Amino acid sequence: MAAGYAELLRTRHAARLLAGTLVGRLPNATAALAVVLFARAEGGSYALAGALSAVYGVCNAIGQPLLGRAVDLYGQPRVMLPASVLSALGMALLAAVGLDVLWLAYAAMVIAGFFTPPLEGGLRALWPGVLKREDRVHAAYALDAVAQEVMFAVGPLLVTLCVAAWSEGMALLVINLIGVLGALSVVVSGPSRRWRSGPREAHWLGALRSAGLLVLIGAFFFVGLAMGSIAVAAVAYADEHGGGMVSSALLSALGVGALAGGLVYGSREWPGRPESRLRLLVGLLALGYLPLVLVPGVVGMTALTGVAGVFLAPALACAFVVVDRHAPKGTVTEAFSWLVTTFGVGSALGASVVGPAVEGGGAVAGFAVAGAGGIAALLVLLSTKRFLGDPVRPTPDGSTAENDRNGTVEPGFRAGHQA
C-alpha cells in the first residue's frame, strides 16, 4: 500500500501539487473556528460569531463554482492567485476593523468567502495530465480525500497554537498568509501554468447541464447533511456521557476511520464501472451510519463512529472519478467545485437541522438524522441509475480525460461557438 502511494508521489510535480493545494486550502478549513475565536475575543456574542461564519460559508458556496468556471475559461494562475490574495485581504480587513463597524466585518466575510480559490477542483483537474495513467489518477483521488482528513485535523490545532503564541487576529493573518503561499506554489508550477480546459459549448448552465453531475450533487448534498449532523450529535452524546473530550474522541474516530478507508481504497485497482462502485460505497456508508442510533457506552460508540467513517473517503474518491467522467467538456474544474460546494452546503444544513432533533430526542435523534441522510443519498443514486450509465473511453495513452457525455449541440447554440 505505502509503496503504491510512494510511487505516485515520486511522479514529477505530484507531491508539490498535493502539498500546495492542502496548504492553500488551510484558510478555508479553519475559517469557521478562526472567525468564531476572533469574534468572541472582540466581545461579540456566539450569535454574531455564528452569523459571520455563516456569511463566509454562503459566499464560499456561491464563489467556488463561479471561480471554477472562470478557471476553466482563463486558466488557473489568472484566477486562483488573485482570488487567494483577495480572500486573504478580506480576512485581514476583519482583523483590522474588528467588530466596531459591523457592516465592514460582514463585508470582509463576503470578500473572504466568495474569493476562496477553487484549489480542490483545480488539483483534480490537473491529476490526469500529471499522472497519465488512469489507475494512478484514481489512487490520487483517494490520497487527496485522505489528506483532507489530515488537514481538517491539523488545521484547528494550528489556529489554536497561533492564538496561544500571538492573538486571535494574528491567527487570521498567519493562516491566510500561509494559504496564499500554498496557492502560489500551485499556480507557478508547470502543470498549472500549462493546463487548459477543453473547448466548451456556450451554455449558461455550464457544468450543470450534465444530468449525471446533477445526480452526484443531489446524492452528496445528503452525504454532507449526514456529516454535519454527526458533528452536532456527537456533542449531544458527550453532554450525556461525560463532557467535551468525548465528542472530540468520537469525531477523531470518524476521521481515523475515513483515513484508513481511503488508504486501503486507493492502494489497489477496483474492477467494474465507478458509477456502480459509487452506489455500493454510498450504500455501505449509509449502512455504517445506522448503528449510531444504538448510542452504547463511550468505548462502543467510539468504535461505531470509527466504522461509520471508513467508507467516507472511498466514496468521495470514487465520486471524483465519476465527476471527471460526466462533466461536460471544458467544465471539469467547475464540476468538481460544484460537488465540493454541495457537500459543504449539505453539511451546514445538517448542523442546523439536527439541532431541533437533538433538543427533542437527544443524541439518538441526532444520529438518526445522519442515518436518514445516508439513506437519502443512496436512494438518489439508485433512483437515477439511467443518468450514470455510459462508460468513458480512455485516451490513447491510457489516461483519463474530460468526457462530454452531452456531446450533442445544445438547442440554440452552434457547434464551435466557444464560451
Side-chain angles (χ1 to χ4, degrees), residues 33-43 88-99 109 159-177:
L33 175 62
V35 169
V36 169
L37 290 177
F38 177 79
R40 292 294 294 158
E42 291 288 305
L89 288 175
M91 285 296 191
L93 177 61
L94 178 66
V97 303
L99 304 181
M109 290 296 89
V159 171
T160 304
L161 291 175
C162 288
V163 169
W166 299 297
S167 67
E168 289 79 3
M170 186 60 70
L172 287 175
L173 297 176
V174 170
I175 293 295
N176 281 271
L177 175 60

PDB file of all heavy atoms in Angstrom, residues 33-43 88-99 109 159-177:
ATOM      1  N   LEU A  33     -13.639  28.090  12.735  1.00  0.00           N
ATOM      2  CA  LEU A  33     -13.044  28.184  14.072  1.00  0.00           C
ATOM      3  C   LEU A  33     -12.358  29.526  14.281  1.00  0.00           C
ATOM      4  O   LEU A  33     -12.552  30.191  15.305  1.00  0.00           O
ATOM      5  CB  LEU A  33     -12.049  27.041  14.274  1.00  0.00           C
ATOM      6  CG  LEU A  33     -11.252  27.073  15.582  1.00  0.00           C
ATOM      7  CD1 LEU A  33     -12.185  26.955  16.779  1.00  0.00           C
ATOM      8  CD2 LEU A  33     -10.209  25.957  15.600  1.00  0.00           C
ATOM      9  N   ALA A  34     -11.540  29.953  13.303  1.00  0.00           N
ATOM     10  CA  ALA A  34     -10.772  31.189  13.452  1.00  0.00           C
ATOM     11  C   ALA A  34     -11.685  32.406  13.596  1.00  0.00           C
ATOM     12  O   ALA A  34     -11.421  33.297  14.410  1.00  0.00           O
ATOM     13  CB  ALA A  34      -9.832  31.362  12.259  1.00  0.00           C
ATOM     14  N   VAL A  35     -12.754  32.445  12.815  1.00  0.00           N
ATOM     15  CA  VAL A  35     -13.674  33.589  12.884  1.00  0.00           C
ATOM     16  C   VAL A  35     -14.421  33.608  14.211  1.00  0.00           C
ATOM     17  O   VAL A  35     -14.586  34.669  14.830  1.00  0.00           O
ATOM     18  CB  VAL A  35     -14.654  33.550  11.691  1.00  0.00           C
ATOM     19  CG1 VAL A  35     -15.778  34.567  11.876  1.00  0.00           C
ATOM     20  CG2 VAL A  35     -13.917  33.833  10.394  1.00  0.00           C
ATOM     21  N   VAL A  36     -14.874  32.459  14.674  1.00  0.00           N
ATOM     22  CA  VAL A  36     -15.582  32.404  15.956  1.00  0.00           C
ATOM     23  C   VAL A  36     -14.660  32.832  17.099  1.00  0.00           C
ATOM     24  O   VAL A  36     -15.052  33.625  17.973  1.00  0.00           O
ATOM     25  CB  VAL A  36     -16.143  30.988  16.206  1.00  0.00           C
ATOM     26  CG1 VAL A  36     -16.629  30.851  17.645  1.00  0.00           C
ATOM     27  CG2 VAL A  36     -17.281  30.688  15.243  1.00  0.00           C
ATOM     28  N   LEU A  37     -13.431  32.334  17.116  1.00  0.00           N
ATOM     29  CA  LEU A  37     -12.482  32.720  18.171  1.00  0.00           C
ATOM     30  C   LEU A  37     -12.213  34.217  18.139  1.00  0.00           C
ATOM     31  O   LEU A  37     -12.154  34.884  19.183  1.00  0.00           O
ATOM     32  CB  LEU A  37     -11.178  31.941  18.011  1.00  0.00           C
ATOM     33  CG  LEU A  37     -11.232  30.445  18.322  1.00  0.00           C
ATOM     34  CD1 LEU A  37      -9.879  29.802  18.034  1.00  0.00           C
ATOM     35  CD2 LEU A  37     -11.640  30.189  19.765  1.00  0.00           C
ATOM     36  N   PHE A  38     -12.059  34.767  16.935  1.00  0.00           N
ATOM     37  CA  PHE A  38     -11.788  36.205  16.813  1.00  0.00           C
ATOM     38  C   PHE A  38     -12.977  37.024  17.288  1.00  0.00           C
ATOM     39  O   PHE A  38     -12.822  37.996  18.045  1.00  0.00           O
ATOM     40  CB  PHE A  38     -11.463  36.558  15.360  1.00  0.00           C
ATOM     41  CG  PHE A  38     -11.237  38.023  15.128  1.00  0.00           C
ATOM     42  CD1 PHE A  38     -10.031  38.611  15.469  1.00  0.00           C
ATOM     43  CD2 PHE A  38     -12.242  38.822  14.595  1.00  0.00           C
ATOM     44  CE1 PHE A  38      -9.828  39.978  15.280  1.00  0.00           C
ATOM     45  CE2 PHE A  38     -12.054  40.177  14.400  1.00  0.00           C
ATOM     46  CZ  PHE A  38     -10.840  40.762  14.744  1.00  0.00           C
ATOM     47  N   ALA A  39     -14.171  36.644  16.857  1.00  0.00           N
ATOM     48  CA  ALA A  39     -15.370  37.393  17.248  1.00  0.00           C
ATOM     49  C   ALA A  39     -15.573  37.365  18.763  1.00  0.00           C
ATOM     50  O   ALA A  39     -15.920  38.390  19.373  1.00  0.00           O
ATOM     51  CB  ALA A  39     -16.596  36.828  16.533  1.00  0.00           C
ATOM     52  N   ARG A  40     -15.360  36.216  19.373  1.00  0.00           N
ATOM     53  CA  ARG A  40     -15.513  36.116  20.824  1.00  0.00           C
ATOM     54  C   ARG A  40     -14.452  36.952  21.544  1.00  0.00           C
ATOM     55  O   ARG A  40     -14.741  37.596  22.558  1.00  0.00           O
ATOM     56  CB  ARG A  40     -15.413  34.647  21.258  1.00  0.00           C
ATOM     57  CG  ARG A  40     -16.582  33.795  20.800  1.00  0.00           C
ATOM     58  CD  ARG A  40     -17.873  34.215  21.478  1.00  0.00           C
ATOM     59  NE  ARG A  40     -17.820  33.958  22.918  1.00  0.00           N
ATOM     60  CZ  ARG A  40     -18.584  34.576  23.827  1.00  0.00           C
ATOM     61  NH1 ARG A  40     -19.419  35.522  23.448  1.00  0.00           N
ATOM     62  NH2 ARG A  40     -18.487  34.260  25.097  1.00  0.00           N
ATOM     63  N   ALA A  41     -13.220  36.950  21.019  1.00  0.00           N
ATOM     64  CA  ALA A  41     -12.154  37.747  21.640  1.00  0.00           C
ATOM     65  C   ALA A  41     -12.445  39.237  21.540  1.00  0.00           C
ATOM     66  O   ALA A  41     -12.023  40.019  22.399  1.00  0.00           O
ATOM     67  CB  ALA A  41     -10.816  37.434  20.961  1.00  0.00           C
ATOM     68  N   GLU A  42     -13.188  39.648  20.501  1.00  0.00           N
ATOM     69  CA  GLU A  42     -13.550  41.053  20.315  1.00  0.00           C
ATOM     70  C   GLU A  42     -14.799  41.436  21.116  1.00  0.00           C
ATOM     71  O   GLU A  42     -15.279  42.564  21.008  1.00  0.00           O
ATOM     72  CB  GLU A  42     -13.792  41.332  18.838  1.00  0.00           C
ATOM     73  CG  GLU A  42     -12.544  41.269  17.981  1.00  0.00           C
ATOM     74  CD  GLU A  42     -11.629  42.451  18.236  1.00  0.00           C
ATOM     75  OE1 GLU A  42     -12.093  43.603  18.126  1.00  0.00           O
ATOM     76  OE2 GLU A  42     -10.444  42.218  18.580  1.00  0.00           O
ATOM     77  N   GLY A  43     -15.347  40.494  21.867  1.00  0.00           N
ATOM     78  CA  GLY A  43     -16.518  40.780  22.688  1.00  0.00           C
ATOM     79  C   GLY A  43     -17.847  40.476  22.023  1.00  0.00           C
ATOM     80  O   GLY A  43     -18.903  40.800  22.565  1.00  0.00           O
ATOM     81  N   ALA A  88      -7.559  36.516   1.331  1.00  0.00           N
ATOM     82  CA  ALA A  88      -6.707  36.836   2.478  1.00  0.00           C
ATOM     83  C   ALA A  88      -6.896  38.293   2.915  1.00  0.00           C
ATOM     84  O   ALA A  88      -6.904  38.599   4.117  1.00  0.00           O
ATOM     85  CB  ALA A  88      -5.247  36.570   2.129  1.00  0.00           C
ATOM     86  N   LEU A  89      -7.053  39.193   1.944  1.00  0.00           N
ATOM     87  CA  LEU A  89      -7.282  40.601   2.287  1.00  0.00           C
ATOM     88  C   LEU A  89      -8.612  40.778   3.009  1.00  0.00           C
ATOM     89  O   LEU A  89      -8.746  41.636   3.885  1.00  0.00           O
ATOM     90  CB  LEU A  89      -7.244  41.457   1.019  1.00  0.00           C
ATOM     91  CG  LEU A  89      -5.862  41.647   0.386  1.00  0.00           C
ATOM     92  CD1 LEU A  89      -5.976  42.416  -0.930  1.00  0.00           C
ATOM     93  CD2 LEU A  89      -4.917  42.377   1.345  1.00  0.00           C
ATOM     94  N   GLY A  90      -9.608  39.961   2.649  1.00  0.00           N
ATOM     95  CA  GLY A  90     -10.876  40.004   3.363  1.00  0.00           C
ATOM     96  C   GLY A  90     -10.698  39.655   4.834  1.00  0.00           C
ATOM     97  O   GLY A  90     -11.229  40.333   5.726  1.00  0.00           O
ATOM     98  N   MET A  91      -9.945  38.589   5.110  1.00  0.00           N
ATOM     99  CA  MET A  91      -9.680  38.214   6.494  1.00  0.00           C
ATOM    100  C   MET A  91      -8.828  39.269   7.196  1.00  0.00           C
ATOM    101  O   MET A  91      -9.030  39.554   8.390  1.00  0.00           O
ATOM    102  CB  MET A  91      -8.985  36.859   6.543  1.00  0.00           C
ATOM    103  CG  MET A  91      -9.907  35.679   6.278  1.00  0.00           C
ATOM    104  SD  MET A  91     -11.170  35.514   7.563  1.00  0.00           S
ATOM    105  CE  MET A  91     -11.850  33.894   7.138  1.00  0.00           C
ATOM    106  N   ALA A  92      -7.879  39.867   6.472  1.00  0.00           N
ATOM    107  CA  ALA A  92      -7.060  40.928   7.060  1.00  0.00           C
ATOM    108  C   ALA A  92      -7.926  42.135   7.422  1.00  0.00           C
ATOM    109  O   ALA A  92      -7.702  42.790   8.449  1.00  0.00           O
ATOM    110  CB  ALA A  92      -5.957  41.333   6.086  1.00  0.00           C
ATOM    111  N   LEU A  93      -8.924  42.419   6.579  1.00  0.00           N
ATOM    112  CA  LEU A  93      -9.846  43.524   6.871  1.00  0.00           C
ATOM    113  C   LEU A  93     -10.609  43.252   8.161  1.00  0.00           C
ATOM    114  O   LEU A  93     -10.777  44.148   9.005  1.00  0.00           O
ATOM    115  CB  LEU A  93     -10.810  43.712   5.708  1.00  0.00           C
ATOM    116  CG  LEU A  93     -11.895  44.779   5.871  1.00  0.00           C
ATOM    117  CD1 LEU A  93     -11.275  46.160   6.063  1.00  0.00           C
ATOM    118  CD2 LEU A  93     -12.841  44.773   4.672  1.00  0.00           C
ATOM    119  N   LEU A  94     -11.069  42.016   8.339  1.00  0.00           N
ATOM    120  CA  LEU A  94     -11.760  41.668   9.574  1.00  0.00           C
ATOM    121  C   LEU A  94     -10.850  41.858  10.779  1.00  0.00           C
ATOM    122  O   LEU A  94     -11.261  42.414  11.808  1.00  0.00           O
ATOM    123  CB  LEU A  94     -12.255  40.226   9.515  1.00  0.00           C
ATOM    124  CG  LEU A  94     -12.957  39.713  10.781  1.00  0.00           C
ATOM    125  CD1 LEU A  94     -14.266  40.466  11.015  1.00  0.00           C
ATOM    126  CD2 LEU A  94     -13.207  38.209  10.700  1.00  0.00           C
ATOM    127  N   ALA A  95      -9.606  41.388  10.652  1.00  0.00           N
ATOM    128  CA  ALA A  95      -8.650  41.521  11.761  1.00  0.00           C
ATOM    129  C   ALA A  95      -8.372  42.987  12.074  1.00  0.00           C
ATOM    130  O   ALA A  95      -8.153  43.349  13.238  1.00  0.00           O
ATOM    131  CB  ALA A  95      -7.350  40.795  11.416  1.00  0.00           C
ATOM    132  N   ALA A  96      -8.407  43.844  11.051  1.00  0.00           N
ATOM    133  CA  ALA A  96      -8.078  45.258  11.248  1.00  0.00           C
ATOM    134  C   ALA A  96      -9.238  46.043  11.847  1.00  0.00           C
ATOM    135  O   ALA A  96      -9.041  46.865  12.752  1.00  0.00           O
ATOM    136  CB  ALA A  96      -7.661  45.885   9.918  1.00  0.00           C
ATOM    137  N   VAL A  97     -10.463  45.808  11.358  1.00  0.00           N
ATOM    138  CA  VAL A  97     -11.597  46.626  11.797  1.00  0.00           C
ATOM    139  C   VAL A  97     -12.303  46.037  13.009  1.00  0.00           C
ATOM    140  O   VAL A  97     -13.037  46.739  13.700  1.00  0.00           O
ATOM    141  CB  VAL A  97     -12.618  46.828  10.647  1.00  0.00           C
ATOM    142  CG1 VAL A  97     -11.941  47.453   9.447  1.00  0.00           C
ATOM    143  CG2 VAL A  97     -13.287  45.518  10.260  1.00  0.00           C
ATOM    144  N   GLY A  98     -12.104  44.739  13.267  1.00  0.00           N
ATOM    145  CA  GLY A  98     -12.787  44.114  14.387  1.00  0.00           C
ATOM    146  C   GLY A  98     -14.294  44.135  14.190  1.00  0.00           C
ATOM    147  O   GLY A  98     -14.789  44.026  13.068  1.00  0.00           O
ATOM    148  N   LEU A  99     -15.014  44.313  15.296  1.00  0.00           N
ATOM    149  CA  LEU A  99     -16.477  44.309  15.244  1.00  0.00           C
ATOM    150  C   LEU A  99     -17.074  45.688  15.493  1.00  0.00           C
ATOM    151  O   LEU A  99     -18.297  45.827  15.625  1.00  0.00           O
ATOM    152  CB  LEU A  99     -17.029  43.333  16.290  1.00  0.00           C
ATOM    153  CG  LEU A  99     -16.528  41.886  16.191  1.00  0.00           C
ATOM    154  CD1 LEU A  99     -17.172  41.046  17.281  1.00  0.00           C
ATOM    155  CD2 LEU A  99     -16.817  41.298  14.819  1.00  0.00           C
ATOM    156  N   MET A 109     -16.233  39.285   5.435  1.00  0.00           N
ATOM    157  CA  MET A 109     -16.594  37.876   5.290  1.00  0.00           C
ATOM    158  C   MET A 109     -17.083  37.558   3.877  1.00  0.00           C
ATOM    159  O   MET A 109     -16.818  36.478   3.345  1.00  0.00           O
ATOM    160  CB  MET A 109     -17.677  37.514   6.309  1.00  0.00           C
ATOM    161  CG  MET A 109     -17.202  37.480   7.750  1.00  0.00           C
ATOM    162  SD  MET A 109     -15.942  36.199   8.066  1.00  0.00           S
ATOM    163  CE  MET A 109     -14.429  37.106   7.702  1.00  0.00           C
ATOM    164  N   VAL A 159      -4.463  26.800  14.334  1.00  0.00           N
ATOM    165  CA  VAL A 159      -5.148  28.024  14.769  1.00  0.00           C
ATOM    166  C   VAL A 159      -4.973  28.218  16.265  1.00  0.00           C
ATOM    167  O   VAL A 159      -4.644  29.322  16.741  1.00  0.00           O
ATOM    168  CB  VAL A 159      -6.651  27.961  14.410  1.00  0.00           C
ATOM    169  CG1 VAL A 159      -7.401  29.130  15.056  1.00  0.00           C
ATOM    170  CG2 VAL A 159      -6.840  27.998  12.906  1.00  0.00           C
ATOM    171  N   THR A 160      -5.162  27.160  17.024  1.00  0.00           N
ATOM    172  CA  THR A 160      -5.026  27.232  18.476  1.00  0.00           C
ATOM    173  C   THR A 160      -3.612  27.650  18.883  1.00  0.00           C
ATOM    174  O   THR A 160      -3.422  28.467  19.801  1.00  0.00           O
ATOM    175  CB  THR A 160      -5.378  25.875  19.111  1.00  0.00           C
ATOM    176  OG1 THR A 160      -6.698  25.496  18.706  1.00  0.00           O
ATOM    177  CG2 THR A 160      -5.323  25.953  20.627  1.00  0.00           C
ATOM    178  N   LEU A 161      -2.613  27.106  18.201  1.00  0.00           N
ATOM    179  CA  LEU A 161      -1.223  27.463  18.510  1.00  0.00           C
ATOM    180  C   LEU A 161      -0.944  28.931  18.199  1.00  0.00           C
ATOM    181  O   LEU A 161      -0.244  29.611  18.955  1.00  0.00           O
ATOM    182  CB  LEU A 161      -0.272  26.562  17.708  1.00  0.00           C
ATOM    183  CG  LEU A 161      -0.231  25.092  18.121  1.00  0.00           C
ATOM    184  CD1 LEU A 161       0.667  24.293  17.170  1.00  0.00           C
ATOM    185  CD2 LEU A 161       0.280  24.951  19.558  1.00  0.00           C
ATOM    186  N   CYS A 162      -1.488  29.430  17.085  1.00  0.00           N
ATOM    187  CA  CYS A 162      -1.299  30.841  16.726  1.00  0.00           C
ATOM    188  C   CYS A 162      -1.955  31.752  17.755  1.00  0.00           C
ATOM    189  O   CYS A 162      -1.395  32.798  18.121  1.00  0.00           O
ATOM    190  CB  CYS A 162      -1.877  31.123  15.343  1.00  0.00           C
ATOM    191  SG  CYS A 162      -0.931  30.436  13.970  1.00  0.00           S
ATOM    192  N   VAL A 163      -3.140  31.368  18.219  1.00  0.00           N
ATOM    193  CA  VAL A 163      -3.822  32.164  19.240  1.00  0.00           C
ATOM    194  C   VAL A 163      -3.007  32.172  20.529  1.00  0.00           C
ATOM    195  O   VAL A 163      -2.843  33.220  21.176  1.00  0.00           O
ATOM    196  CB  VAL A 163      -5.242  31.607  19.493  1.00  0.00           C
ATOM    197  CG1 VAL A 163      -5.862  32.251  20.730  1.00  0.00           C
ATOM    198  CG2 VAL A 163      -6.125  31.840  18.272  1.00  0.00           C
ATOM    199  N   ALA A 164      -2.480  31.009  20.909  1.00  0.00           N
ATOM    200  CA  ALA A 164      -1.692  30.924  22.140  1.00  0.00           C
ATOM    201  C   ALA A 164      -0.399  31.735  22.036  1.00  0.00           C
ATOM    202  O   ALA A 164       0.030  32.367  23.010  1.00  0.00           O
ATOM    203  CB  ALA A 164      -1.377  29.459  22.449  1.00  0.00           C
ATOM    204  N   ALA A 165       0.231  31.709  20.856  1.00  0.00           N
ATOM    205  CA  ALA A 165       1.502  32.402  20.680  1.00  0.00           C
ATOM    206  C   ALA A 165       1.321  33.905  20.490  1.00  0.00           C
ATOM    207  O   ALA A 165       2.149  34.695  20.971  1.00  0.00           O
ATOM    208  CB  ALA A 165       2.247  31.815  19.487  1.00  0.00           C
ATOM    209  N   TRP A 166       0.263  34.312  19.781  1.00  0.00           N
ATOM    210  CA  TRP A 166       0.051  35.737  19.484  1.00  0.00           C
ATOM    211  C   TRP A 166      -1.348  36.195  19.919  1.00  0.00           C
ATOM    212  O   TRP A 166      -1.521  36.613  21.031  1.00  0.00           O
ATOM    213  CB  TRP A 166       0.269  35.992  17.985  1.00  0.00           C
ATOM    214  CG  TRP A 166       1.658  35.658  17.530  1.00  0.00           C
ATOM    215  CD1 TRP A 166       2.817  36.256  17.945  1.00  0.00           C
ATOM    216  CD2 TRP A 166       2.040  34.638  16.600  1.00  0.00           C
ATOM    217  NE1 TRP A 166       3.901  35.670  17.323  1.00  0.00           N
ATOM    218  CE2 TRP A 166       3.453  34.691  16.495  1.00  0.00           C
ATOM    219  CE3 TRP A 166       1.342  33.700  15.839  1.00  0.00           C
ATOM    220  CZ2 TRP A 166       4.152  33.830  15.654  1.00  0.00           C
ATOM    221  CZ3 TRP A 166       2.033  32.851  15.001  1.00  0.00           C
ATOM    222  CH2 TRP A 166       3.427  32.915  14.922  1.00  0.00           C
ATOM    223  N   SER A 167      -2.294  36.122  18.994  1.00  0.00           N
ATOM    224  CA  SER A 167      -3.659  36.566  19.293  1.00  0.00           C
ATOM    225  C   SER A 167      -4.602  35.997  18.243  1.00  0.00           C
ATOM    226  O   SER A 167      -4.167  35.428  17.236  1.00  0.00           O
ATOM    227  CB  SER A 167      -3.750  38.096  19.267  1.00  0.00           C
ATOM    228  OG  SER A 167      -3.533  38.577  17.939  1.00  0.00           O
ATOM    229  N   GLU A 168      -5.902  36.175  18.477  1.00  0.00           N
ATOM    230  CA  GLU A 168      -6.889  35.687  17.518  1.00  0.00           C
ATOM    231  C   GLU A 168      -6.780  36.418  16.180  1.00  0.00           C
ATOM    232  O   GLU A 168      -6.922  35.811  15.116  1.00  0.00           O
ATOM    233  CB  GLU A 168      -8.301  35.859  18.087  1.00  0.00           C
ATOM    234  CG  GLU A 168      -8.630  34.924  19.232  1.00  0.00           C
ATOM    235  CD  GLU A 168      -8.055  35.370  20.563  1.00  0.00           C
ATOM    236  OE1 GLU A 168      -7.424  36.464  20.617  1.00  0.00           O
ATOM    237  OE2 GLU A 168      -8.222  34.629  21.562  1.00  0.00           O
ATOM    238  N   GLY A 169      -6.539  37.727  16.231  1.00  0.00           N
ATOM    239  CA  GLY A 169      -6.370  38.481  14.990  1.00  0.00           C
ATOM    240  C   GLY A 169      -5.143  38.047  14.213  1.00  0.00           C
ATOM    241  O   GLY A 169      -5.172  37.921  12.986  1.00  0.00           O
ATOM    242  N   MET A 170      -4.049  37.803  14.931  1.00  0.00           N
ATOM    243  CA  MET A 170      -2.826  37.345  14.267  1.00  0.00           C
ATOM    244  C   MET A 170      -3.024  35.958  13.673  1.00  0.00           C
ATOM    245  O   MET A 170      -2.459  35.645  12.614  1.00  0.00           O
ATOM    246  CB  MET A 170      -1.670  37.336  15.266  1.00  0.00           C
ATOM    247  CG  MET A 170      -0.317  37.010  14.621  1.00  0.00           C
ATOM    248  SD  MET A 170       0.160  38.191  13.339  1.00  0.00           S
ATOM    249  CE  MET A 170       0.493  39.641  14.349  1.00  0.00           C
ATOM    250  N   ALA A 171      -3.834  35.126  14.315  1.00  0.00           N
ATOM    251  CA  ALA A 171      -4.116  33.798  13.767  1.00  0.00           C
ATOM    252  C   ALA A 171      -4.778  33.924  12.397  1.00  0.00           C
ATOM    253  O   ALA A 171      -4.438  33.190  11.462  1.00  0.00           O
ATOM    254  CB  ALA A 171      -5.013  33.011  14.723  1.00  0.00           C
ATOM    255  N   LEU A 172      -5.734  34.856  12.262  1.00  0.00           N
ATOM    256  CA  LEU A 172      -6.358  35.091  10.964  1.00  0.00           C
ATOM    257  C   LEU A 172      -5.322  35.465   9.918  1.00  0.00           C
ATOM    258  O   LEU A 172      -5.337  34.954   8.786  1.00  0.00           O
ATOM    259  CB  LEU A 172      -7.404  36.209  11.070  1.00  0.00           C
ATOM    260  CG  LEU A 172      -8.728  35.896  11.781  1.00  0.00           C
ATOM    261  CD1 LEU A 172      -9.571  37.156  11.879  1.00  0.00           C
ATOM    262  CD2 LEU A 172      -9.484  34.813  11.040  1.00  0.00           C
ATOM    263  N   LEU A 173      -4.418  36.353  10.263  1.00  0.00           N
ATOM    264  CA  LEU A 173      -3.417  36.835   9.309  1.00  0.00           C
ATOM    265  C   LEU A 173      -2.441  35.730   8.922  1.00  0.00           C
ATOM    266  O   LEU A 173      -2.131  35.537   7.737  1.00  0.00           O
ATOM    267  CB  LEU A 173      -2.662  38.035   9.896  1.00  0.00           C
ATOM    268  CG  LEU A 173      -3.500  39.280  10.189  1.00  0.00           C
ATOM    269  CD1 LEU A 173      -2.642  40.355  10.847  1.00  0.00           C
ATOM    270  CD2 LEU A 173      -4.131  39.820   8.910  1.00  0.00           C
ATOM    271  N   VAL A 174      -1.942  35.002   9.922  1.00  0.00           N
ATOM    272  CA  VAL A 174      -0.936  33.971   9.662  1.00  0.00           C
ATOM    273  C   VAL A 174      -1.507  32.842   8.811  1.00  0.00           C
ATOM    274  O   VAL A 174      -0.898  32.413   7.820  1.00  0.00           O
ATOM    275  CB  VAL A 174      -0.376  33.415  10.992  1.00  0.00           C
ATOM    276  CG1 VAL A 174       0.488  32.182  10.737  1.00  0.00           C
ATOM    277  CG2 VAL A 174       0.433  34.494  11.704  1.00  0.00           C
ATOM    278  N   ILE A 175      -2.697  32.357   9.173  1.00  0.00           N
ATOM    279  CA  ILE A 175      -3.307  31.251   8.443  1.00  0.00           C
ATOM    280  C   ILE A 175      -3.544  31.639   6.984  1.00  0.00           C
ATOM    281  O   ILE A 175      -3.295  30.858   6.058  1.00  0.00           O
ATOM    282  CB  ILE A 175      -4.629  30.825   9.106  1.00  0.00           C
ATOM    283  CG1 ILE A 175      -4.369  30.221  10.479  1.00  0.00           C
ATOM    284  CG2 ILE A 175      -5.384  29.838   8.217  1.00  0.00           C
ATOM    285  CD1 ILE A 175      -3.592  28.937  10.464  1.00  0.00           C
ATOM    286  N   ASN A 176      -4.013  32.857   6.749  1.00  0.00           N
ATOM    287  CA  ASN A 176      -4.310  33.269   5.380  1.00  0.00           C
ATOM    288  C   ASN A 176      -3.051  33.589   4.580  1.00  0.00           C
ATOM    289  O   ASN A 176      -3.033  33.387   3.368  1.00  0.00           O
ATOM    290  CB  ASN A 176      -5.272  34.452   5.389  1.00  0.00           C
ATOM    291  CG  ASN A 176      -6.700  34.013   5.629  1.00  0.00           C
ATOM    292  OD1 ASN A 176      -7.427  33.710   4.699  1.00  0.00           O
ATOM    293  ND2 ASN A 176      -7.097  33.945   6.892  1.00  0.00           N
ATOM    294  N   LEU A 177      -2.004  34.058   5.245  1.00  0.00           N
ATOM    295  CA  LEU A 177      -0.724  34.233   4.553  1.00  0.00           C
ATOM    296  C   LEU A 177      -0.177  32.883   4.112  1.00  0.00           C
ATOM    297  O   LEU A 177       0.296  32.727   2.974  1.00  0.00           O
ATOM    298  CB  LEU A 177       0.279  34.941   5.473  1.00  0.00           C
ATOM    299  CG  LEU A 177       1.705  35.086   4.897  1.00  0.00           C
ATOM    300  CD1 LEU A 177       1.692  35.885   3.609  1.00  0.00           C
ATOM    301  CD2 LEU A 177       2.632  35.721   5.936  1.00  0.00           C
TER     302      LEU A 177
END
